[in-house]
Amino acid sequence: MGSLDSVFYPTSIAIAGASPGKSGQWFLDSIRTSGFKGSIYAINSKGTEVSGLLAYTNIKDIPGPVDYTICCIPAPYVPQLIRDCAAKGVRTISIYTSGFSEAGTEEGRELEREIVRIAQASRIRIVGPNCLGVYSPKVGLSFASDFSRRVGKVALIGQSGGNTSYLIRAASQRGVRFSKAVSYGNACDINESHLLEYLVHDPESEIVAAYIEGVKDGDRFHRALSELSAAKPVLILKGGYTKAGGEIAASHTGSLATSNEIWESLLDQSGAIGVCNLEEMVDLLVTFALLPLPRGR
């Protein structure tokens, strides 16, 4: 379980594709604004300075150690980046890049399988692809510059980057603070079950919220959810309940929605708390995080 510590508590970060005016600069600026406590490196193909920071053309050229990489380069170049990360000793790569299984093409699915093979051979963990990545206020890691820098007791996992961002902002406006959050996209490596298993033993997370569009391994997910629900409150919003919602979920992450009956039975068996929509999720996060337990019934 400790292998996911490197996901939430990196000590040095490189952003591949950190070019002026591109998404990589947005990640770079967000991390710097959030007060990241370790070293930050920019990488782009031309070695162009970005946000006043010297950029390297290859991660292997960076003089210091790098244990976490954010990938913002085009999908066809991602396999080579992972090979370079392996040579550098990187432990985690968060892939913002899209164009993998969620594209619905055989080419995209094969490219995703390829990056998984390379990463597993190198013992690198992947967050994503097609995701925003990790928000860990304890170390100052964030994918948005307006997220709170205060550490709280709520952990959030979400497949949709947009919904994950919304929940962080909306709950924060009402006083909820997060221990960690992760937008994990296609879940080609780290998936919902791995994250729930990790959170069972995370002393910083007393409440867990999840937005899930699809499940990779039903049996493992059931076991993980049951164990976590026995230890702390778990609030779950399932994406893709309707036909239109299922199509949106597939476009986000390549996930296939399960039937409502199966999902509701799973929640009943595991003891997790089902949530109907994003607004109700925020209300329940406020309830669990900020209100004292009633003394009576």
Side-chain angles (χ1 to χ4, degrees):
M1 305 315 301
S3 64
L4 293 193
D5 283 347
S6 64
V7 174
F8 295 106
Y9 307 110
T11 58
S12 51
I13 296 177
I15 299 97
S19 299
K22 303 294 185 180
S23 57
Q25 184 178 28
W26 162 48
F27 278 101
L28 174 64
D29 292 345
S30 295
I31 293 169
R32 297 178 82 181
T33 301
S34 299
F36 181 67
K37 298 174 174 60
S39 301
I40 306 171
Y41 303 100
I43 306 169
N44 61 58
S45 59
K46 298 180 179 178
T48 305
E49 182 180 291
V50 54
S51 296
L53 196 65
L54 172 69
Y56 299 88
T57 57
N58 190 295
I59 192 169
K60 293 187 290 185
D61 297 332
I62 294 174
V66 177
D67 61 6
Y68 189 101
T69 297
I70 297 172
C71 170
C72 302
I73 63 176
Y77 302 104
V78 175
Q80 185 57 50
L81 173 65
I82 298 177
R83 295 185 185 97
D84 293 339
C85 285
K88 185 63 179 174
V90 171
R91 301 172 65 190
T92 303
I93 179 167
S94 174
I95 304 178
Y96 171 72
T97 307
S98 58
F100 295 90
S101 63
E102 86 289 342
T105 65
E106 182 55 35
E107 180 183 10
R109 287 188 286 269
E110 176 52 36
L111 190 58
E112 186 165 301
R113 289 191 288 266
E114 181 183 4
I115 65 173
V116 171
R117 288 193 295 267
I118 298 169
Q120 288 181 342
S122 308
R123 301 182 65 82
I124 293 175
R125 303 310 305 264
I126 296 177
V127 181
N130 187 39
C131 73
L132 290 175
V134 173
Y135 166 47
S136 181
K138 184 174 183 177
V139 298
L141 172 58
S142 178
F143 50 82
S145 58
D146 61 330
F147 288 173
S148 174
R149 294 173 63 174
R150 293 176 55 193
V151 180
K153 58 185 179 182
V154 175
L156 170 64
I157 70 171
Q159 278 191 278
S160 162
N163 286 344
T164 302
S165 297
Y166 170 81
L167 288 171
I168 293 170
R169 290 190 173 102
S172 294
Q173 288 173 358
R174 295 176 62 184
V176 176
R177 296 294 178 262
F178 293 84
S179 59
K180 52 184 61 68
V182 55
S183 152
Y184 62 96
N186 294 11
C188 75
D189 173 30
I190 296 173
N191 62 40
E192 59 288 331
S193 297
H194 301 139
L195 292 165
L196 295 180
E197 289 166 356
Y198 176 81
L199 291 170
V200 170
H201 306 287
D202 178 25
E204 297 175 355
S205 302
E206 299 176 17
I207 302 156
V208 177
Y211 171 83
I212 295 174
E213 294 177 341
V215 174
K216 295 285 186 178
D217 181 336
D219 288 339
R220 184 171 183 172
F221 179 74
H222 180 267
R223 290 193 301 271
L225 185 59
S226 298
E227 184 180 5
L228 181 59
S229 297
K232 51 193 79 173
V234 184
L235 315 174
I236 295 193
L237 171 58
K238 176 68 172 66
Y241 255 58
T242 64
K243 181 177 184 293
E247 292 170 354
I248 292 172
S251 69
H252 279 168
T253 61
S255 296
L256 295 177
T258 57
S259 74
N260 294 356
E261 293 79 9
I262 292 174
W263 187 256
E264 289 167 4
S265 177
L266 170 69
L267 295 180
D268 287 341
Q269 291 176 29
S270 66
I273 301 165
V275 178
C276 294
N277 53 52
L278 294 170
E279 290 71 25
E280 185 180 36
M281 177 69 87
V282 175
D283 287 340
L284 286 178
L285 284 176
V286 170
T287 301
F288 279 90
L290 301 181
L291 299 183
L293 287 172
R295 294 180 180 179
R297 294 172 57 187

